Amino acid sequence: MSVIAKVREQDGARVVTLPSELLESIGAGVATALALDVKDGAIVAVPIAEPARQRSRRYTLAELLVGAEHLPEIYEGIAGALDGDPVGRELG
């Protein structure tokens, strides 16, 4: 399959749009990482498998504050900062 694509500029970057059919022919789709190389004056694109991303873990306020009771010993300017009730939408 031969496709003619024009290089254009977008926000200071040079961009080439690849047709879906061309990407599908190499097993690539939206969000597929491509390894790009130049061989014999041609750009070669090969899809690469990326490790699965783990979903970001949400921490409770108690988990985030583990060890915080020692902060005043390290930095006296923080004394009293951990006293008092929650003032926002903190998780318990």
Side-chain angles (χ1 to χ4, degrees):
M1 169 189 301
S2 182
V3 174
I4 296 176
K6 205 174 216 180
V7 178
R8 59 185 166 76
E9 191 166 334
Q10 180 177 328
D11 297 327
R14 291 181 179 92
V15 178
V16 175
T17 302
L18 303 174
S20 299
E21 300 81 25
L22 184 67
L23 291 171
E24 289 170 4
S25 72
I26 64 168
V30 174
T32 300
L34 297 174
L36 301 175
D37 200 0
V38 177
K39 291 186 182 174
D40 298 325
I43 296 174
V44 178
V46 178
I48 57 172
E50 291 186 288
R53 292 183 185 172
Q54 292 183 346
R55 186 174 175 191
S56 297
R57 179 166 180 241
R58 295 191 54 107
Y59 294 90
T60 65
L61 182 59
E63 289 173 313
L64 293 172
L65 292 176
V66 168
E69 66 275 6
H70 300 290
L71 287 175
E73 300 164 15
I74 299 167
Y75 178 64
E76 63 186 50
I78 200 167
L82 301 175
D83 300 336
D85 295 322
V87 295
R89 297 182 341 191
E90 295 92 341
L91 301 176

